[in-house]
C-alpha cells in the first residue's frame, strides 16, 4: 500500500488546488451568508506558490493529490508580544480521505516550517459552526482564542 507524503505544492498542482479551493468554498458557504454568489475565489494560488513568506503543501497518495494547506508569515499587531506569526489556511482534504489523519500530517508539516523560521505563534480561523474542523484543530493543540461577531 502507498503511504501519504507531504510535499511542497508546485505550479503543476494549480488545477487540483483550484478545485480544492472550490471545495472549501462549497463547504463554507452554508456557514457564511455573507459570501458573494458563485463564482468566487479566496486565494491567488499562483502568487501563494511563488511567495517566499508562504509555504503551500499538499498530501499525495499514490501520485494523487488528496489534501492541501498553507502557512504564511504575517506581521502581528504592534501591541502583541510577538512581531510576526504564522497564519494557516486552505485546509482541505478530499472527502473520501477525511478521518485518516491527513490534516494532522499537513498541520505538522506547516508547524515545522513555521518553527524553522522562528515563528512560535501559529493562528488560523475556523467558522464557529464547523465543529468537525474545530475538533481536528484542538486535537493537534490549537485552542479557541477569539470570536468574531457581526451585526446585520
Amino acid at each position: 500500500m502507498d503511504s501519504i507524503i507531504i510535499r511542497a505544492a508546485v505550479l503543476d498542482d494549480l488545477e487540483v488546488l483550484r478545485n480544492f479551493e472550490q471545495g472549501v468554498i462549497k463547504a463554507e458557504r452554508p456557514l457564511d451568508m455573507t459570501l458573494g454568489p458563485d463564482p468566487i475565489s479566496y486565494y491567488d494560488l499562483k502568487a501563494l506558490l511563488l511567495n517566499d513568506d508562504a509555504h503551500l503543501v499538499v498530501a499525495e497518495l499514490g501520485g494523487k493529490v488528496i489534501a492541501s494547506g498553507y502557512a504564511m508569515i504575517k506581521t502581528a499587531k504592534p501591541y502583541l508580544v510577538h512581531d510576526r506569526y504564522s497564519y494557516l489556511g486552505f485546509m482541505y482534504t478530499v472527502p473520501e480521505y477525511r478521518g485518516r489523519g491527513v490534516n494532522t500530517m499537513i498541520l505538522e508539516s506547516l508547524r515545522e516550517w513555521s518553527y524553522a523560521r522562528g515563528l512560535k505563534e501559529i493562528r488560523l480561523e475556523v467558522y464557529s459552526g464547523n465543529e468537525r474542523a474545530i475538533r481536528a484543530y484542538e486535537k493537534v493543540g490549537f485552542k479557541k482564542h477569539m470570536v468574531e461577531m457581526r451585526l446585520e
Side-chain angles (χ1 to χ4, degrees):
M1 176 164 172
D2 294 324
S3 60
I4 296 169
I5 62 163
I6 307 299
R7 64 167 174 80
V10 295
L11 289 172
D12 285 345
D13 295 320
L14 273 175
E15 182 178 343
V16 72
L17 292 171
R18 287 187 179 116
N19 289 331
F20 284 6
E21 178 184 30
Q22 293 308 305
V24 171
I25 292 165
K26 181 179 177 183
E28 291 181 349
R29 188 167 287 291
L31 302 169
D32 189 345
M33 60 202 252
T34 67
L35 292 178
D38 284 325
I40 65 171
S41 180
Y42 286 167
Y43 314 105
D44 181 341
L45 292 166
K46 185 174 182 181
L48 196 58
L49 281 167
L50 300 173
N51 185 341
D52 290 336
D53 286 337
H55 186 53
L56 177 54
V57 298
V58 295
E60 191 175 281
L61 177 62
K64 178 182 178 184
V65 176
I66 61 168
S68 64
Y70 77 79
M72 179 181 291
I73 299 171
K74 292 202 170 194
T75 301
K77 297 197 169 142
Y79 52 79
L80 295 175
V81 296
H82 50 277
D83 297 331
R84 302 175 317 142
Y85 65 99
S86 185
Y87 178 82
L88 306 187
F90 194 27
M91 301 305 203
Y92 182 79
T93 303
V94 172
E96 57 264 32
Y97 297 99
R98 292 178 185 161
R100 298 186 190 184
V102 180
N103 191 54
T104 299
M105 295 171 68
I106 294 268
L107 288 166
E108 185 55 36
S109 173
L110 297 175
R111 179 192 334 228
E112 289 172 12
W113 181 88
S114 300
Y115 283 3
R117 279 145 190 81
L119 303 168
K120 302 294 186 211
E121 182 72 20
I122 301 175
R123 296 184 178 211
L124 56 78
E125 295 172 342
V126 59
Y127 285 101
S128 60
N130 193 344
E131 292 297 327
R132 185 175 178 168
I134 291 169
R135 283 192 305 276
Y137 296 135
E138 288 176 335
K139 184 178 174 183
V140 297
F142 281 91
K143 295 176 178 38
K144 293 178 184 173
H145 178 65
M146 180 172 257
V147 175
E148 180 177 292
M149 299 177 75
R150 60 182 288 274
L151 181 65
E152 292 183 62

